Amino acid sequence: MSADAVFVHPPGAARYKFRADHPFDPIRLTLAIDLLTSVGALKASDIIASEPADTNLLSLVHRPDYIHAVTALSKEHPETRWLDEAERFGLGTEDTPFFPGMHDAAAQLVGGSVRAAEEVMSGRALHAYHMAGGLHHAFPERGAGFCVYNDVAIAIKYIRQRYGAKVLYIDTDVHHGDGVQWAFYDDADVCTYSIHETGKYLFPGTGFVHERGSELGFGFCYNMPVEPYTEDDSWLESFVSTVEKVARAFRPDIIVSQHGCDAHALDPLSHIHCSTRIYLEMPRIIHELAHRYAQGRWVAVGGGGYDIWRVVPRAWSLVWLAMTEHPLVGRLVAGENAPLPAEWVARWLPHSPEPLPDRWLDDTSAWTPMPRRAEITAKNQATAGILVQDL
């Protein structure tokens, strides 16, 4: 029996936690899932538990020596030789420190994305959402940018190996989806698209419009880098004017999308000035593209997002609401800024360091307009024009 959408959640997702003061905090998953439950949009029957990925799955992307290093550094007291080697594998850094149980926790997240892919490709579900996934910066030989294993790239490799399907990967994180891009840079059957703040000013320093792929994969890599302080209208114009043309040209069998929500004005790790409006609109657009070009097959994962109280719960909940065509989405699109469930706000307000929002969407009328708005918009339009000139 098939379902329209399933929600995949690994039982060990909360164990992926670097340290108490690290910006990547799995409590954001708890907050978002509780918000969906509070609004009546997620039931226990919608949630599917997943198994951790084994070495065979991890090896679809990662080198054996890297997996060995991650495993060794996951011990309570790693051997000295591994402590000395950690930074060579991108671990032990300020961004991506190793921690006890790291391998098992990261393998849980990979297992969730692979399970979501299998649910859709097997036909058991049309859509699947793995909110805990989206660690798009990890490379075959090293971790980076809070990412130990690249669950998204592994899930795409799994789809390619098991089903031979063409995959369109859409990355909406404010940071370029570099690990996924490079994993498929020479592959004509995986098309990668990333909209993000330009790498001129932001980690990882890549994702320029001239990065188009190599060898057989040339012409199957698309990047839409936007200028710092881009706002909602220009971000959405840049996205809509490019991603639809990419999907139409590529005609995928399935769309896999990453929904980092760190392009928000309140996020501490970027310079983009968007609101929750883009997190209402982008999943709706991707949902439509999946039905138009990929027989409805769509896998969505989470990603970045570091204002964990005010932004992430709403933004990630909106992905599931769009995926399930929840009536609340229609109300929000129609201009009704519906309130968040009062019990959710009351439950979490005592724990939040900031006042919590009480509405699904931000009231941007109270925001100070960004200077140079016209110049920023013009630069983004020019970049979009370059991106789609051959489509």
Side-chain angles (χ1 to χ4, degrees):
M1 180 178 296
S2 65
D4 285 341
V6 293
F7 189 101
V8 179
H9 191 65
R15 297 203 298 270
Y16 191 85
K17 183 176 176 64
F18 294 102
R19 59 176 187 269
D21 63 343
H22 195 281
F24 192 106
D25 191 334
I27 195 174
R28 59 195 187 148
L29 297 169
T30 304
L31 292 164
I33 291 171
D34 189 48
L35 178 55
L36 286 171
T37 303
S38 298
V39 80
L42 186 65
K43 307 183 297 294
S45 58
D46 296 320
I47 300 175
I48 296 176
S50 56
E51 297 293 325
D54 59 18
T55 301
N56 288 335
L57 278 176
L58 299 176
S59 298
L60 291 177
V61 167
H62 296 289
R63 288 188 343 200
D65 60 335
Y66 177 64
I67 299 170
H68 190 191
V70 171
T71 304
L73 289 165
S74 298
K75 296 179 180 178
E76 192 72 38
H77 301 290
E79 297 176 22
T80 302
R81 68 187 182 98
W82 288 111
L83 297 177
D84 295 339
E85 289 280 291
E87 289 202 20
R88 180 164 73 88
F89 293 102
L91 304 171
T93 63
E94 183 69 19
D95 279 355
T96 317
F98 54 84
F99 59 94
M102 173 177 61
H103 167 78
D104 291 337
Q108 288 271 2
L109 303 189
V110 175
S113 291
V114 172
R115 178 64 186 272
E118 176 61 23
E119 288 297 310
V120 173
M121 292 307 304
S122 68
R124 289 194 294 268
L126 197 57
H127 314 316
Y129 185 24
H130 176 218
M131 185 186 286
L135 305 186
H136 58 169
H137 293 308
F139 283 76
E141 77 288 358
R142 60 184 170 87
F146 313 160
C147 305
V148 175
Y149 293 138
N150 196 320
D151 63 285
V152 204
I154 293 169
I156 294 172
K157 287 276 190 181
Y158 175 84
I159 292 170
R160 290 289 309 132
Q161 183 184 81
R162 184 174 176 85
Y163 293 98
K166 291 174 58 180
V167 182
L168 172 59
Y169 173 67
I170 299 174
D171 192 310
T172 66
D173 196 290
V174 80
H175 302 92
H176 174 229
D178 57 342
V180 182
Q181 171 179 295
W182 302 121
F184 302 101
Y185 206 58
D186 60 355
D187 190 339
D189 291 311
V190 178
C191 181
T192 61
Y193 170 98
S194 178
I195 183 170
H196 48 268
E197 181 180 339
T198 173
K200 290 185 291 185
Y201 309 107
L202 191 69
F203 175 89
T206 54
F208 297 101
V209 72
H210 64 260
E211 295 168 20
R212 295 294 310 278
S214 65
E215 301 179 14
L216 294 177
F218 183 79
F220 295 94
C221 173
Y222 295 91
N223 286 294
M224 180 61 234
V226 302
E227 294 297 306
Y229 307 109
T230 292
E231 297 169 280
D232 288 347
D233 286 347
S234 183
W235 178 284
L236 288 171
E237 179 188 38
S238 300
F239 184 67
V240 171
S241 66
T242 56
V243 74
E244 197 279 336
K245 291 181 173 65
V246 170
R248 183 179 61 202
F250 185 64
R251 300 277 173 171
D253 297 312
I254 182 173
I255 293 177
V256 176
S257 58
Q258 196 264 22
H259 295 266
C261 53
D262 37 9
H264 195 280
L266 296 178
D267 196 278
L269 298 187
S270 75
H271 314 100
I272 301 299
H273 204 70
C274 290
S275 77
T276 43
R277 177 180 154 212
I278 69 169
Y279 301 117
L280 169 67
E281 295 297 339
M282 288 192 294
R284 293 178 62 242
I285 293 165
I286 295 170
H287 191 185
E288 180 184 342
L289 293 177
H291 281 283
R292 193 186 312 167
Y293 298 115
Q295 301 81 50
R297 299 187 193 101
W298 176 28
V299 170
V301 296
Y306 307 102
D307 192 303
I308 61 175
W309 297 92
R310 296 174 294 180
V311 176
V312 180
R314 292 183 294 162
W316 280 358
S317 293
L318 286 167
V319 177
W320 179 249
L321 295 178
M323 181 175 277
T324 57
E325 299 183 276
H326 192 278
L328 180 58
V329 171
R331 292 165 55 194
L332 294 172
V333 171
E336 178 189 345
N337 194 0
L340 295 175
E343 66 271 21
W344 182 87
V345 176
R347 183 158 48 249
W348 294 108
L349 184 59
H351 305 279
S352 174
E354 304 284 350
L356 292 176
D358 61 1
R359 300 274 167 175
W360 280 95
L361 301 179
D362 300 310
D363 179 7
T364 58
S365 65
W367 291 13
T368 303
M370 285 290 100
R372 300 174 44 251
R373 177 182 288 171
E375 179 184 343
I376 290 167
T377 299
K379 286 185 176 180
N380 290 340
Q381 289 171 339
T383 301
I386 295 170
L387 177 60
V388 300
Q389 61 185 350
D390 297 326
L391 292 175

